[in-house]
Each structure stands twice: as C-alpha cells, then as structure tokens.
Amino acid sequence: MQYFIDVILPIPIQKTFTYTVTEDEAKFLQKGMRVAVSFGKTKMYTGLVFNIHQTAPTLYEAKDIYQILDEEPLVNERQLQHWQWISSYYMCSIGDVYRASLPSAFLLESETIIIKNDKDIDESDLLDDEFLIYEALQHQSQLTIHQVSDILGKKKVMPIVNSLINKSVIIVQEEIYEQYKPKLVRYVRLHQNYTNNDSLEDLLSELSRAKKQRTAVLSFFQLLAAKKPIKAKDLEEKAQVSSSILKSLVEKNIFEFYHIKIDRISFKGEVNDLKKLNNFQEIALKEIKESFKNKDVTLLHGITSSGKTEVYTKLIQEVLDQGKQVLFLLPEIALTTQIITRLQIYFGNKISVFHSKYSINERVEVWRNVLENKSKAQIILGARSSVFLPFSNLGLIIVDEEHETSYKQFEPSPRYNARDAAIVLAKIHKAKILLGSATPSLESYFNAKQNKYGLVELNRRHGNVLLPKIELIDVKEKYRIKEMNGHFSNRMLKLIQEALDNKEQVILFQNRRGYSPVVECKTCGVSPECPNCDVTLTYHKFKHELRCHYCNYLRSMPNSCGACGSNTLDTKGFGTEQIELELKKLFPNFKIGRMDLDTTRGKHGYQRIIGAFESKEIDVLVGTQMLSKGLDFDNVSLVGVLNADTMLNFPDFRAHERAYQMMVQVSGRAGRSRKQGNVAIQTYNPLHQILQQVSTTNYVNMYDEQLQERWQYNYPPYYRLMKITLKHRDYNKVDSGINWLFKALQQSFGDYVLGPSAPAVSRIRNQYIKNLIIKIPPKQSLAETKKHITKIRNTFEAVKDFRPIRFITDVDAY
C-alpha cells in the first residue's frame, strides 16, 4: 500500500505538490509538520505537510521525501484554514502565505556541498579549472558552491561542477541545516574535586600566590550564599576579573562551565494593579461588552487622549482570566515600544512582542511560546505579521489605530490587510475583535453605521482636558507681507517660543525625510535623477549625499551640474533634516531631536528617541508620520504641521480622508495631561474643506462629505477595487501587455475597468510599471470576478511575449 503527502512549498505556485512516504512515516506525520523535500534538479526546500492520503499524482512520478524535520506540528489546523482564506481572497499562492508566515529560521536553507569521490582518478583527464577544485578537495573534506566560486574567481561554476560529476571525481550532496540557535547563558560551578571542606582549604592555600584567581574563588562563595545558579558574567563583575581568569580556573579543574537556555526577551520589574476607569471609560467598557453579545466586531470611536488603552487593559484582563490568548495589533513599531512599557506595568511577563525589528531567533522563540500556549505568550503585541502566529485559543483581538495604512502589505505577496485578516482570524477562533481609532477608516465606520459592526463612542478626553485649539496659518499671505523665516511663519515661531519658555515640549510634523527632495541647477534647471527609478534624488545634508528613497541608490552631492557644468545648485522643497537644522539656528539653547526612517534604524532606534523625549531630554521633536500614531507624551503643549498641502494634493481617492486622519492624529499629541494644547497648521489654502473640518475636529462632517463623493464616483465602501500591475525592464513589453489586458478585461467588465495608467513613479529598480483598476459593483459576485480574472491571467501568461512580465494582483488595493 503506497502512502502520499501533499506538501506546501514556499514558492509562488498556486498548488501543493505530492511526495511519497513509507507507511511508518505516514503514521508519524501530521498536518503542519515540516519535511525536507527535493524540488527541481538541485534545490532542497522545507515543505509543510498539508494532507496525508493514498492517491498517487497523475501528471508526475512522486519523489521520496528527504527527511522529517519536526516531532510535533509547527503550524496548527486553524492557521492552515486562515492561510487558505488569505490565499483565495488576496489571489496569491498558499506558498507565498507560508513564506510570509513562518520566521525564516524555520524555512531551512539548502546549500550544495561537493565531496571528493574515493575512486582513483587520472589527473591528466582534468582541465585546469577542474584540477584546481580536485586539488582543493585534497586539503578540505568538502566545499560549498560559494567556495568553488571563490577558488576559481568565477560566478558560473555549475558547468565545471557538472563536468567533475560526469568524470566521477566528486559527489554532490545537499546539506540542510537549521538557522535557529537557542540563546545559552554561561554559568559557573565548582568542580566535583572540591566538594568537601578539606579540599576547599587546600584549594585556597594553593591559590595564595595567584591573587586574582583567589579573589574569583572567594567571590564565588559569596555569591553562592544566595543559593542561585551563578552566571559567569556576574562572577566576573563581582570579583572584578576578566574572563581569562575564569578560563584558567576551569583549565585547573577548579571551576567548570555549564550552559542554561534562556529566552531572549524577558521583563523584570513589579506588576501594578489596573488603573481605575473614569465614568466615561466605564460606560464605554459596558457598551463594548453589550455589543459583543450580538456582534463579533465592535468599533470603538474614541477621540485622541480619551484613554482607549485603559479600556483595552480591562478587556484584556477579563480574557486572560478565562485562560485565553489576546492579540494586540499596532500599526507602527514606534508605537509598540511605548505600549509595551504601559502594558508591562499591568501584565508583566505575560506579554510577547513580535515584529520585523526583532531578530530571527527572537521571533522563533515567540512562535514556539505561542504554539505551546506558554504563560509568557498570553498577550501578543505586534505589527501586522502577528496575525500569522500559531494561536490555539484566541479570545480577543484588539486592532489599535485601525484606520492606518501600515496594516496593508503592498510588497511582496501576500498583499493582505492585517485588520481584515484579523477579523477572519477572530471568526475562525470564535473570538471577539475590537477596532479602536480616533479617526476610523470610512469602511469601518460605514460598516458600523450599517449595523454590521457594533459602535461605541468615547467623546471625552481623560481628565476632562479640552481638545487642542487648532489654528490655520496662511503661508501665502505670510510670504506676501514678508513674515516668513525660512519655512516658519512668525506666528509658528512665536508659539514655539512660548511653549519652550513655559518649559513645555513641541512636536513638528513634516511628512518627508531628508534635507530636500529636489536639487536643481539654477542655470539650466536640470535635477539629478536616480538611474534606476523615475524620481529625483533626495539630498541628505548630514552625510552630504543624494539618495533614492525607492531603491536606496546613493551618490555624493555633486559640486556642479552634470548637464551644463554650472556650480549654481539650489535645493527645492524641505524635509525633516532641513527643519531640524533651521530650528538649531533659531533656537540654539534648546535640544532638537528628529524621528524618521533615517534616525530609527536598528532595533532600539525608536526606544532611544521616544525615551529621550519622554524624559524631557529633547525640547522639540521633528518627525514624519511615525509621530502621528497614538504616542502619549504628557508635556507636549504645541504641535505644528509645517506643510498641510502635500497631503491634500496626493493623486489618490483616499487623499482627503488620509490627510484628515493624519492631521487630527498628530494634533492629538498636544495637551494630553493638564491644560489645553495648541496646534498650528501652515497651508497655502486655509479655506480647504478638509482643513476646516480638521480645525473643528468634525469627523462626522468629513465622513458624510467623503461618503457622498465615493458614492458618486463608485469607490469603496460601495464598490470594491482590484488593481492589476505589470512590471518589466522593457517598456514596450509592459505597454503592449497592459493594452492586451485592458481589452480582454473590458470585454468582461466594460466601463468598470480604469486605465491603463502609469503611477506617479513609473519606473522603480529599472522595472517599468503600468496599472489597471477594476471596480466591482456591490451586487457582482467577488468570487466569480476573481475566477474570471484568473482565467484571463492564465491566457495572458500563455502568450510567449508576455511570459517574462511580472503580473501582480492586489485585492482591496488601498
């Protein structure tokens, strides 16, 4: 009787692959275990068992598996169900979801190893390159393909390796190795020779001349009184000796080292009781619980600084008391650093954090802790990828700042929205989900108004502090009457000075990093452009370089124009770096900080800046949209938006909604603890309806107006959107491909196909880009539409000329 398994491979191919296993293996294997399998001629992949059966494949001969990698399933049934939904809804392969879900340490690497054959070889048959490899194998037991490449100084070495295989000089084997290494801490104990008192006296007299070694031994006995295992590092600090002293004591068989495996992430400190809620928070909590009786999804619309986090903590505590897990999703890593600190005060070591700034090994540990339902993984705090963790008994999901675009993954596939994926995940686990925001997305608020979701409002700020006073400053008028100093109006500078004089802090928002987005020659008007993308290079003054923010190409700032040789180069526009430098000149006695992608690189970049601002080491913090995401600083009395117009004039149907959300969110950072804060927004168009709505914080008015426009022009939440993107290095190929596709789609969907169009940046990393957008009316079946698009895609990819073009489908592309 033959047994087979269907395996998911981490490759972008829609189907699973069948391999053959023995009867014993079939009995041992379970869904969700990993197996190493060969795929293609030389590749070895880590596959995931999806199904165990006895039906042989019809189109190909099933290969044997290479080895079983797990004793217990690494992925559970509910996860696989969730992956299938993501794969079908977002039109991507389940292999893509598998690759995105598992920390890369679990996807074992394959490295081709070559070994010398033991047969007698006639060396005269070998060519020069072949002899070099043969000679290297006389000195080394094995070589990798990379090492062969280095020895020969060539990139393409496979033909030479193949020739050596044919001549039976070498054998090839695939070596699979784990990447995950547990963190081991070195401890010290006495050698078994020194267990009784006599031997200890001899020892101390023996060491009378070696003073440092004697000190180390005496310090060891002092630490031993605590009756805890002694870390080598602690002993070094206590005795004030180097590691070489301990090493020599080990060599003399006085001490011995041993290792204990520990988690990389742990919390030390006291756990406090939850804060008492005020009346408004109590009412909101009661309404959420009521809403959860009938609805699985509830939207908490609470204005900025209304104390939503405190409401969350009460809900979390109740779910933990039922012995269930909680997933707390946050849009930005910057936000996790602050919320971790706040939640750890209440929940201590029950919290695990999961996001991309953590190392591979740390992510593996969190994965295992969640899989085994350990006490330290009862609350998972993380960015969008946390929806893929192996939860077994999820009770509650909280999606904080649910309107954020950071929840949407754009590249690479799967292009999922973590908020929507979390709603489906909650449904699979029969858990409840709470969406929280001061400026909900139009779709979520629409669903709440349509009675699809529950809706709870929280309209009072914590401590009854008033919402900030919002002032619009007309920059056009200020330039006319010469009241601008650099990029600051005199009114903005006056407000900053007042706040600093009162020993209060200021946040300034400019949603563009670098010094200047354009460098232009005053003589001929030419700007240096990126050679790989259709975009001008951004000037970064600190490193005196021009950088592309799309492909990271960089070059040093030229002294003269590359087109005409003139040395009159000028910068246009301004980013956070320029604002920081201007402020240092204007306010030389105050500390200016900057928070953007350039200053927060590295795991602790965010923590360092947020920590310095919280402890009042920074007086003015300049930053990009990272600052707008729910951060809580109690001494900020002024928030300044330096240029509101760039957000409003963005070519996107959500530009106005996003601009409103961004400005209200960043305004909400002002005056959070004691007195009313101030917000100053510089704009060329103070009468714009969105800015007027921001100045009165009138969400409902903005919602009604935007909804009317969406209905008029057939956009979400009434119609669904699907975007198809083609990419290739040859512009003509992309152009003919998109035109063919447009005609094919237009025959099926008529006027609901928009395009073809090129995006604002039409070439990135030397790939030309063209888009089509398909609108799907409310009564049209989404599943049927997707089937039809898949058919058209298959026909498109069958055309020889179109085969090399990259075809990307993005469902709900906003």
Side-chain angles (χ1 to χ4, degrees), residues 647-662:
M647 293 182 276
L648 292 167
N649 302 330
F650 199 69
D652 178 16
F653 75 95
R654 291 189 72 174
H656 287 178
E657 178 196 353
R658 294 236 171 99
Y660 176 89
Q661 287 165 342
M662 189 86 76

Side-chain angles (χ1 to χ4, degrees), residues 491-601:
R491 177 68 185 146
M492 180 76 86
L493 291 174
K494 186 177 176 233
L495 289 168
I496 295 172
Q497 191 64 59
E498 280 172 12
L500 295 175
D501 290 344
N502 293 335
K503 296 199 165 32
E504 289 161 345
Q505 289 167 298
V506 179
I507 284 178
L508 293 177
F509 172 77
Q510 167 60 6
N511 206 13
R512 190 183 277 281
R513 65 190 171 103
Y515 181 85
S516 166
V518 180
V519 173
E520 189 180 81
C521 170
K522 280 185 176 178
T523 310
C524 68
V526 168
S527 302
E529 289 195 356
C530 173
N532 312 316
C533 313
D534 277 347
V535 67
T536 54
L537 294 169
T538 302
Y539 175 42
H540 287 248
K541 193 166 188 174
F542 174 66
K543 291 186 174 172
H544 199 64
E545 68 187 15
L546 295 173
R547 183 187 280 273
C548 171
H549 288 172
Y550 288 88
C551 69
N552 281 333
Y553 166 84
L554 53 95
R555 54 178 280 201
S556 60
M557 176 72 173
N559 295 322
S560 57
C561 171
C564 69
S566 162
N567 57 3
T568 55
L569 293 179
D570 187 22
T571 59
K572 294 261 190 290
F574 61 102
T576 46
E577 195 183 1
Q578 190 167 344
I579 296 301
E580 182 191 17
L581 293 170
E582 279 186 24
L583 283 168
K584 281 178 177 169
K585 283 182 191 163
L586 292 165
F587 302 100
N589 305 327
F590 294 96
K591 183 87 173 71
I592 314 296
R594 172 161 60 96
M595 184 164 150
D596 55 29
L597 202 62
D598 300 314
T599 60
T600 53
R601 297 192 188 280

Side-chain angles (χ1 to χ4, degrees), residues 232-293:
K233 205 172 181 185
D234 292 350
L235 181 55
E236 285 166 23
E237 282 173 13
K238 172 88 175 158
Q240 291 180 335
V241 294
S242 67
S243 56
S244 57
I245 302 288
L246 294 192
K247 218 172 180 184
S248 53
L249 284 166
V250 170
E251 282 162 9
K252 287 182 179 177
N253 286 340
I254 295 167
F255 281 164
E256 60 184 16
F257 289 138
Y258 65 103
H259 293 88
I260 294 178
K261 182 182 157 189
I262 64 150
D263 268 9
R264 285 175 163 78
I265 304 146
S266 58
F267 166 74
K268 298 175 186 69
E270 293 297 308
V271 177
N272 300 343
D273 291 335
L274 296 183
K275 276 188 187 172
K276 202 170 183 315
L277 300 185
N278 65 27
N279 291 346
F280 301 102
Q281 288 169 320
E282 282 286 3
I283 293 164
L285 181 63
K286 205 171 161 189
E287 284 178 8
I288 290 167
K289 286 188 205 165
E290 261 322 296
S291 164
F292 277 158
K293 286 178 186 171

Side-chain angles (χ1 to χ4, degrees), residues 9 16 69 98 100 169 210 221 239 248 324 388 415 431 463 467 478 550 557 598 605 679 706:
L9 293 178
T16 55
L69 300 171
Y98 170 41
V169 178
F221 286 117
S248 53
K324 291 189 170 181
F388 293 124
R415 295 170 181 81
L467 278 167
K478 293 286 179 191
Y550 288 88
M557 176 72 173
D598 300 314
V679 177
Q706 291 301 312

